[in-house]
Amino acid sequence: MDMHAFFSFIPRPLRVAIFGAAVSVILYLTLAPTNDVPGAKLVWDKAAHAIAFGLLVVIGLLMSTHRRKTVIACVWGLSAGIEVAQALMPFGRQGDWIDLFADTVGIVIGVGLWALARRFKPR
């Protein structure tokens, strides 16, 4: 199995920074007060969760050269941690197991899309 990142031509520190930026966006969108999040009411909440975490896992996997199961586990752990944080926050956010399920669905779909992309990657 080829262990090179999809974007292995990008230096590792930049790949890590790209993934870190994506994580930062997710953290802002999920932990900021609801009124501060632009377009919060435009997309169905559960779809937004699935899309966000699906994209995050795809970005993580595309930037990764190895330990892909770790990337997937960390994205899911981030999702679970965010739901716990939302349950403890006073900013109009609520921790929700259904949101965690939607995040998980997005992660599974993202992993499937990544695997499909790898299958068609030129050698």
Side-chain angles (χ1 to χ4, degrees), residues 82-118:
I82 286 170
E83 293 307 320
V84 170
Q86 286 179 339
L88 301 173
M89 294 174 63
F91 299 133
R93 296 293 190 152
Q94 301 173 37
D96 186 354
W97 290 108
I98 297 171
D99 287 349
L100 181 59
F101 179 74
D103 298 343
T104 303
V105 168
I107 291 167
V108 169
I109 290 169
V111 169
L113 291 173
W114 169 79
L116 188 62
R118 271 184 63 90

